[in-house]
Amino acid sequence: MPTVILVRHGRSAANTSGTLAGRTPGVKLDETGLQQAEAVGRRLAELPLATVVTSPLERCKQTAAAIAKHHPELRPATDRRLTECGYGDWTGQKLTTLMKDPLWAVVQQHPSAVTFPNGESMRAMQQRAVDAVRAHDAALAQTHGDGALWVAVSHGDVIKAIVADALAQHLDTFQRIVVDTATTTIITYTKTRPFLVRLNDSGSELQSLIPKPTTRKRTRKQTSDAVVGGR
């Protein structure tokens, strides 16, 4: 039952200019984004992270580096499956311009039907991102045990799509989910279901994520059952 801490990259110049950066190369964090990345790195500093995996885009790699700085034993690995959605011809355009495109309404209301012109479908984006998270999760369970904590640094739409899958929601509902820059969204995967532990979190303590030590006399039984009445 490893736990993935999904981190959206810090703020970039594209975020403040109202431009859809997509996979445009060279888009970096602005001054506020660098401060956000440093802050999330400090929040995660005390956690025993097994690995840090990141989208190959620069703004995510900068955020991952700020996290890994507090864990000298870790070197962030890149996974292209965590990259931004392929927005195709929409890439680099102003959002105010895109809002006038008839496809905009479909993106908002029926994203599962959307394939961006000369780009990727939103269904494909969700599938490869979920596959990436589940694959890393399973591998870490084998190498680091069920209590492993790890970080995946990615993008807003990608994280929203992963959350929708974890909640067993249709992709068409994912626009109801909010994931701000430099926030943590935490999911624990079990054999029969995922649990959304936190969503769009920018300030709460994270120490409670650290697995409690066990002894030979009292071993913790792993379960996929939810706690009735709350915990």
Side-chain angles (χ1 to χ4, degrees):
M1 299 172 65
T3 294
V4 59
I5 303 169
L6 297 162
V7 178
R8 185 182 173 190
H9 62 79
R11 195 180 80 174
S12 72
N15 293 136
T16 55
S17 67
T19 302
L20 186 63
R23 298 178 183 175
T24 303
V27 176
K28 297 183 178 181
L29 303 181
D30 63 13
E31 190 60 36
T32 295
L34 290 170
Q35 294 173 6
Q36 290 177 332
E38 289 294 331
V40 76
R42 289 192 297 270
R43 289 185 66 214
L44 297 170
E46 300 303 317
L47 300 185
L49 300 180
T51 190
V52 177
V53 184
T54 179
S55 155
L57 294 178
E58 187 65 25
R59 54 197 184 273
C60 286
K61 290 170 69 174
Q62 287 179 285
T63 305
I67 295 169
K69 181 175 70 173
H70 298 276
H71 298 270
E73 73 283 3
L74 299 181
R75 189 170 185 175
T78 59
D79 189 331
R80 291 187 175 277
R81 294 174 295 179
L82 295 175
T83 197
E84 181 64 284
C85 185
Y87 295 117
D89 295 345
W90 277 32
T91 302
Q93 294 196 48
K94 290 286 188 180
L95 294 176
T96 51
T97 299
L98 295 174
M99 288 177 185
K100 301 173 185 176
D101 190 315
L103 186 61
W104 179 270
V106 187
V107 171
Q108 296 299 315
Q109 301 173 38
H110 191 22
S112 65
V114 171
T115 298
F116 291 97
N118 295 311
E120 182 180 30
S121 74
M122 301 197 87
R123 296 187 315 281
M125 172 198 72
Q126 182 185 47
Q127 187 64 62
R128 45 103 168 156
V130 170
D131 285 349
V133 169
R134 288 180 177 270
H136 286 291
D137 210 69
L140 288 169
Q142 293 293 321
T143 58
H144 288 76
D146 287 335
L149 300 173
W150 65 287
V151 169
V153 184
S154 192
H155 307 267
D157 277 355
V158 176
I159 295 174
K160 286 161 58 177
I162 294 170
V163 170
D165 171 79
L167 293 175
Q169 293 181 351
H170 197 281
L171 182 60
D172 287 346
T173 69
F174 100 125
Q175 298 292 22
R176 304 180 185 188
I177 299 166
V178 175
V179 175
D180 295 318
T181 54
T183 56
T184 57
T185 292
I186 301 170
I187 301 172
T188 298
Y189 288 89
T190 74
K191 291 182 179 180
T192 58
R193 75 184 82 185
F195 289 95
L196 178 62
V197 180
R198 301 189 192 178
L199 173 66
N200 199 34
D201 179 15
S202 60
S204 70
E205 62 77 30
L206 298 175
Q207 303 305 310
S208 60
L209 297 175
I210 300 175
K212 301 297 187 295
T214 58
T215 65
R216 289 186 178 181
K217 291 183 178 179
R218 184 181 178 183
T219 57
R220 185 177 62 174
K221 182 180 180 181
Q222 300 295 336
T223 178
S224 297
D225 291 345
V227 178
V228 177
R231 59 180 175 180

